[in-house]
Amino acid sequence: DQQVKQNSPSLSVQEGRISILNCDYTNSMFDYFLWYKKYPAEGPTFLISISSIKDKNEDGRFTVFLNKSAKHLSLHIVPSQPGDSAVYFCAASFSGGSNYKLTFGKGTLLTVNP
Amino acid sequence: KAGVTQTPRYLIKTRGQQVTLSCSPISGHRSVSWYQQTPGQGLQFLFEYFSETQRNKGNFPGRFSGRQFSNSRSEMNVSTLELGDSALYLCASGQGGSYNEQFFGPGTRLTVL
């Protein structure tokens, strides 16, 4: 039962354009969401997060949008740069009980073409 | 601050052997989590430790175990290795609260022959 889904295995965009990566979740208990970027042979690097009390969080070129009613979040990268080419993982957690784990999607490979 | 370090970076073992992986968290972080990454399954949660106590465990068999020391360093052990255990094992550290980010190490690539 996959609780966090990234339905697009890959995405290709031109340098300077917007990249939009999507993520859906099924567990309504999730109230904290994160995006990580991963290069080959390295561990995931934290990018940006959002709690369920917000619908938008922005950090430089990266903006995450959360639509709780649709159980959907997206990561916007503007403008996209070739160095952004990596696998992007969406992750979720909830604050209740003794849950301290992150549940990850399977990732989306972003390729930014010069 | 130094990041999360994991040793060894690469490991080759044969079926039936056991292996121990090590993780040193970011200074000041008391929570250490372990994840297994495989091409088909993505990142799967193994377990999380905080102040030497296991707080959460994922759906992995008992062959997978871990521990945390008083200095927050953690080890993960896999006994009776199987071919399917070949994966990238990632360690992440954090403050340990519900809304805290986890910061990952580079991982240990385990190959079981």
Side-chain angles (χ1 to χ4, degrees), chain A residues 31-32 34 36 38 41-46 49 51-52 89 93-96 98-106, chain B residues 9-10 33 35 37 40-43 45 48 55-56 58 88 90 96-107:
Chain A
D31 58 4
Y32 189 57
L34 308 89
Y36 285 84
K38 187 179 185 301
E42 294 184 14
T45 302
F46 169 73
S49 62
S51 73
S52 59
F89 290 97
S93 70
F94 63 89
S95 54
S98 61
N99 179 69
Y100 299 97
K101 71 177 188 180
L102 295 178
T103 301
F104 282 86
K106 293 192 177 182
Chain B
R9 291 293 310 276
Y10 301 92
S33 299
Y35 294 83
Q37 186 186 14
Q41 296 299 318
L43 279 84
F45 173 78
E48 187 257 359
R55 295 194 298 186
N56 244 146
L88 180 67
L90 292 158
S98 299
Y99 294 105
N100 295 137
E101 302 81 15
Q102 295 182 16
F103 298 89
F104 284 83

Side-chain angles (χ1 to χ4, degrees), chain A residues 44-76:
Chain A
T45 302
F46 169 73
L47 273 176
I48 191 168
S49 62
I50 188 168
S51 73
S52 59
I53 62 173
K54 294 184 174 182
D55 54 19
K56 177 183 173 181
N57 190 25
E58 194 171 353
D59 184 1
R61 296 186 297 115
F62 302 91
T63 303
V64 57
F65 295 92
L66 175 63
N67 183 333
K68 289 185 290 294
S69 61
K71 295 192 180 68
H72 177 84
L73 65 155
S74 61
L75 175 68
H76 293 209

Side-chain angles (χ1 to χ4, degrees), chain A residues 2-6 23-25 30 90-92 103-106:
Chain A
Q2 202 179 342
Q3 298 185 63
V4 178
K5 300 178 184 179
Q6 294 177 255
C23 178
D24 297 297
Y25 60 96
F30 288 142
C90 168
T103 301
F104 282 86
K106 293 192 177 182

